[in-house]
Amino acid sequence: MNIKNIGQLWLRLAVSSAFLSAVADRLGLWGKPGSSHATWGNWEQFLTYSNMVNSFAPAFLLEFLAVTATVLEVMLALLLLIGYKTKWSAYMSAILLTLFAVAMTISFGIKSTFTYSVWIGAASCLLLGSVKSYAYSMDDYLSKMKDKAHK
């Protein structure tokens, strides 16, 4: 076990949990709107927030953007969690977080992105994507199985 292996695993878990926690909140799993553990508490409250973040987008796209972000967050979180297609998932997460940061900057100003550490998340995902191999991952397991099959 080395620090690089632990670091990439930790980062995969951190990004996954952040994405899944945000989705859980918008589905009401952290509590009802206004409760101490919920930021949104339901889809309607999240949609209102998402519409504010994407205030520059045409109205007909707003719900599509909220649904797309949610689906991507779940998909990328699960892929990072199990370590499957990790490089691709990390880069896609970096893109998603960068788009979120840009939208936040346009709609609320740059300060909001610092408060929620969105740039740190995006940069972390870029760094994760640059890792050569992913210990404790499905990618690593499949690579080892492929190597065994070729011997």
Side-chain angles (χ1 to χ4, degrees):
M1 200 182 282
N2 68 41
I3 195 71
K4 286 182 184 180
N5 289 344
I6 293 168
Q8 65 79 28
L9 176 61
W10 191 353
L11 187 50
R12 285 179 20 228
L13 296 174
V15 173
S16 295
S17 63
F19 281 161
L20 292 174
S21 178
V23 171
D25 188 4
R26 67 190 72 155
L27 298 178
L29 300 177
W30 286 126
K32 297 178 191 268
S35 65
S36 62
H37 298 293
T39 300
W40 306 294
N42 63 31
W43 180 258
E44 293 76 24
Q45 294 291 327
F46 169 71
L47 189 55
T48 299
Y49 171 75
S50 179
N51 291 348
M52 291 187 314
V53 170
N54 295 301
S55 63
F56 53 86
F60 72 90
L61 279 180
L62 292 174
E63 189 162 3
F64 171 78
L65 291 171
V67 169
T68 300
T70 300
V71 169
L72 287 172
E73 284 173 310
V74 170
M75 180 184 75
L76 293 169
L78 295 176
L79 290 171
L80 289 170
L81 189 63
I82 65 170
Y84 183 67
K85 301 290 183 185
T86 309
K87 187 172 292 292
W88 177 88
S89 301
Y91 286 139
M92 294 309 298
S93 296
I95 291 168
L96 180 62
L97 287 166
T98 299
L99 291 172
F100 178 50
V102 169
M104 286 180 75
T105 300
I106 292 168
S107 296
F108 305 134
I110 192 77
K111 166 72 170 71
S112 64
T113 64
F114 300 143
T115 300
Y116 293 102
S117 303
V118 184
W119 296 112
I120 292 171
S124 297
C125 289
L126 277 178
L127 190 58
L128 180 60
S130 72
V131 172
K132 196 170 194 170
S133 64
Y134 302 95
Y136 319 111
S137 70
M138 186 64 70
D139 291 335
D140 188 48
Y141 173 78
L142 293 173
S143 175
K144 288 176 181 173
M145 291 298 108
K146 186 177 176 182
D147 290 346
K148 279 185 182 179
H150 287 107
K151 288 184 179 182

